Amino acid sequence: MPKMSGFDQRAVALIELRGTRSEHELFGNAVAEAGWAVLEDHGPVAAEPVAATPAVSVTSVVSVVSADERRRYTVDIRFPGSRVNAVKGARDRVEVLADALLLDLTVLVVDRVDRDPVDLPRWFAQSPPGGTAPGADAPRLRRWADRWTRWLAERLGTHDTGRLVGAVSAPDARRLARHPLPGARPPAPEATARGSLGTEPSRTPAQLGRRRESARMVTRMLIAGVVLLWVGARIADRSGDGPGAWWGFALVGLGAVWAIAAAARRMAPGRPLRETVAASLVPAVVIALAGANIVRTEPGAGWGSRVIAYGVIAGVVFNGVRLLARQWTWRRTAPWLLPAILPVSVGLVPPLGIGLHTFYLHAFDLSLDDVEVPQAYRFLATLKLMACMSLWLGALALLGYMKHLHLYVRDRLLGNLVLFTTALTLLYVGVFTLGIAAADRAGDEAKRDAAQGRTPSAYFGIEPEWVCVRPIGRPADIPVDGGELLPHRPYLRIGDAGGTVVLWDTEERQALKAPLDKLRVLPEDTRPASCHRPSPS
């Protein structure tokens, strides 16, 4: 009896094993440990005739055959993964098992077993509500009360017995509602069955779908729905540029609608085509409009569709890692996930003080202690660093999809080396190129914008702005760290921390630190030519 596990596919193989009795027993034990089963032992295979030679006697040939026996088995193989390449995956798994045990085993025939039961309509067993029969002579109020009771029983199931029936027709459902089951409460002889909300299922046997096929179609419909959500957002992003900018996305949306209709058609193969198309088109339009609404409520141009795309990519990567964990074990997969968890301890623990802000401020020769950054923005920067470090999970996700499609059943040294090299490359690209180097480039761009008189863009809570400063008291009494404070010169305010404001002097290319309580800081919308204010006459 095979053990229960996360099996997705099933195949049957005819194999031939040549070996001693102990090797045959070893193979049987390995098959049982893998959760498979030997369906049939075809017995020994007749030995091929051996040409008589002077060096080989008949007695030696008989002893060799009896010691090294060839037998054929029919093996039931169950394994996780996709239906695509499932036959190849079954063959490879048998050969991997034989290679691990150093057996002389040959797979002669292998084919996939497809067991998918019919998804029968659901009925609810109920006891008759009683009361007067329809059309019987009774007081009007009594007839109304009985009619109300029957309506509640048919629509809301107030007289349901709790038994669930699967049947194609109403007579079969009523018969099964009265069928006795051992250990269950005996049903009443007058028990009947009702459909959902009092409506009898109208599907004929030809219109019934398959249970597992329907689940797969629902998954495909969800994927097509996500594509439609993104298409609606992209069309809304490009709507102001004319039809030439978004007609390609409209074609992608039509393809998603066709995929939903095809999946619905396979779930209910006998339904009219018009009903299937109409039932697919309405939710598709609603989903696309929801994507467009995301863009309408998002103030930043292009961010709505971009966030959806990032979410889809994250979902694809997570699903690939999940598929890998199903093929391996979480204990084997967990060490590969540690680099993705590292920035949590590095970026969120205050004493360490390491984050993207550090590399941004390094361009101004400042440290994280010089500028106070809100915790919320530090958390967002840490999430970005986590996403950059998690880029290497793309290699694991790719391996997960390859194993799910049975393209990488055997673990090869070269394949593992390529995987490890790809993972390290993606880790380097994510951490240094997209994380640290990007933060450093953002700081350099801010310096360059300031030197050209432009206002630099904000960076995770650091919002540079042009200011003019007015000393409170004599300028000579104000302690300034980093250079000389000139009130007539405009400065770029980087931020402040602990009562000290940080100003960037674009002419001297240095940062000035001065006490905030000794200055009046006047914000400016753009960089003024001079902060000199003529004295009133």
Side-chain angles (χ1 to χ4, degrees):
M1 182 71 179
K3 62 182 180 180
M4 300 300 294
S5 182
F7 296 134
D8 298 323
Q9 306 301 326
R10 180 184 175 192
V12 175
L14 176 64
I15 62 101
E16 183 175 295
L17 175 61
R18 179 171 180 247
T20 61
R21 179 177 301 177
S22 62
E23 289 179 310
H24 288 272
E25 294 177 354
L26 184 64
F27 172 73
N29 295 333
V31 167
E33 290 179 1
W36 305 345
V38 176
L39 299 180
E40 186 177 358
D41 182 357
H42 298 277
V45 179
E48 297 179 358
V50 180
T53 60
V56 180
S57 64
V58 176
T59 305
S60 62
V61 172
V62 173
S63 63
V64 169
V65 171
S66 60
D68 217 12
E69 190 177 48
R70 292 168 53 199
R71 302 179 73 93
R72 290 184 178 180
Y73 302 93
T74 299
V75 183
D76 185 4
I77 310 164
R78 298 169 188 254
F79 52 97
S82 171
R83 295 196 303 170
V84 180
N85 290 329
V87 175
K88 174 183 177 299
R91 181 188 182 94
D92 289 347
R93 281 170 171 81
V94 175
E95 293 178 349
V96 166
L97 184 144
D99 293 343
L101 300 178
L102 301 179
L103 297 177
D104 185 359
L105 183 146
T106 304
V107 180
L108 302 177
V109 182
V110 61
D111 200 357
R112 190 172 67 89
V113 178
D114 191 4
R115 304 287 193 191
D116 198 353
V118 174
D119 194 9
L120 294 174
R122 300 295 188 267
W123 302 75
F124 302 92
Q126 65 173 0
S127 58
T132 59
D137 189 12
R140 179 177 300 177
L141 291 179
R142 179 62 182 274
R143 292 199 304 270
W144 285 356
D146 293 341
R147 190 179 302 169
W148 174 250
T149 302
R150 285 193 295 269
W151 188 89
L152 291 177
E154 291 292 333
R155 300 289 178 175
L156 303 181
T158 55
H159 285 68
D160 287 358
T161 63
R163 174 177 289 200
L164 188 63
V165 178
V168 177
S169 61
D172 290 342
R174 288 191 291 268
R175 179 176 56 83
L176 292 174
R178 294 188 289 267
H179 184 78
L181 294 176
R185 182 177 56 185
E190 64 277 5
T192 183
R194 68 173 184 89
S196 178
L197 296 178
T199 59
E200 294 187 2
S202 58
R203 286 182 291 177
T204 63
Q207 294 176 325
L208 298 177
R210 299 287 177 173
R211 187 168 66 227
R212 301 187 187 99
E213 180 72 10
S214 299
R216 288 191 291 267
M217 293 303 105
V218 169
T219 302
R220 295 182 185 180
M221 293 170 71
L222 290 177
I223 295 174
V226 173
V227 172
L228 281 171
L229 189 70
W230 176 78
V231 166
R234 289 300 294 170
I235 291 178
D237 283 337
R238 302 289 188 91
S239 59
D241 300 333
W246 54 262
W247 68 269
F249 298 107
L251 292 180
V252 175
L254 291 177
V257 173
W258 176 85
I260 293 176
R265 185 75 171 171
R266 295 187 66 175
M267 292 176 63
R271 287 190 180 274
L273 182 60
R274 286 185 300 176
E275 293 183 8
T276 304
V277 173
S280 305
L281 189 59
V282 172
V285 173
V286 171
I287 294 173
L289 291 178
N293 184 65
I294 293 176
V295 174
R296 186 183 64 84
T297 57
E298 174 63 40
W303 272 103
S305 58
R306 203 175 303 173
V307 169
I308 295 174
Y310 290 159
V312 170
I313 293 173
V316 170
V317 172
F318 174 80
N319 186 60
V321 175
R322 181 189 66 85
L323 294 175
L324 180 61
R326 290 194 68 217
Q327 299 282 347
W328 285 354
T329 60
W330 279 110
R331 179 179 299 179
R332 188 177 177 184
T333 311
W336 292 85
L337 305 178
L338 288 179
I341 306 174
L342 183 62
V344 176
S345 59
V346 173
L348 297 184
V349 178
L352 295 178
I354 299 177
L356 298 181
H357 296 98
T358 302
F359 300 100
Y360 177 84
L361 295 173
H362 177 71
F364 296 95
D365 295 327
L366 299 172
S367 66
L368 199 58
D369 296 332
D370 297 325
V371 178
E372 184 176 357
V373 180
Q375 290 294 333
Y377 284 102
R378 289 195 181 191
F379 177 73
L380 291 177
T382 301
L383 290 182
K384 179 185 177 180
L385 185 58
M386 287 181 61
C388 294
M389 294 189 70
S390 300
L391 185 64
W392 89 321
L393 295 180
L396 298 184
L398 178 61
L399 178 62
Y401 285 111
M402 292 180 64
K403 284 187 169 293
H404 183 68
L405 297 174
H406 317 290
L407 300 175
Y408 194 78
V409 176
R410 294 183 175 92
D411 285 337
R412 305 288 190 182
L413 177 61
L414 179 60
N416 292 335
L417 182 61
V418 171
L419 170 66
F420 186 71
T421 304
T422 305
L424 288 183
T425 302
L426 291 176
L427 180 64
Y428 175 82
V429 171
V431 175
F432 293 97
T433 304
L434 301 180
I436 296 175
D440 195 59
R441 286 195 303 270
D444 291 337
E445 290 177 3
K447 284 179 57 177
R448 188 162 51 251
D449 291 341
Q452 297 175 0
R454 298 192 299 265
T455 303
S457 302
Y459 185 82
F460 289 105
I462 300 178
E463 300 180 358
E465 60 177 348
W466 291 105
V467 297
C468 292
V469 295
R470 293 289 180 268
I472 301 177
R474 294 196 315 165
D477 297 336
I478 300 177
V480 179
D481 183 11
E484 182 181 3
L485 183 66
L486 303 176
H488 68 275
R489 181 178 297 175
Y491 293 99
L492 183 71
R493 175 177 174 172
I494 306 298
D496 60 83
T500 301
V501 64
V502 179
L503 305 173
W504 178 253
D505 191 342
T506 56
E507 296 185 11
E508 300 294 335
R509 295 185 179 181
Q510 61 185 4
L512 307 180
K513 304 174 187 177
L516 198 57
D517 57 351
K518 299 292 186 180
L519 300 173
R520 282 193 305 142
V521 181
L522 307 177
E524 300 287 344
D525 294 334
T526 58
R527 185 185 187 278
S530 174
C531 288
H532 177 70
R533 296 291 189 270
S535 59
S537 56

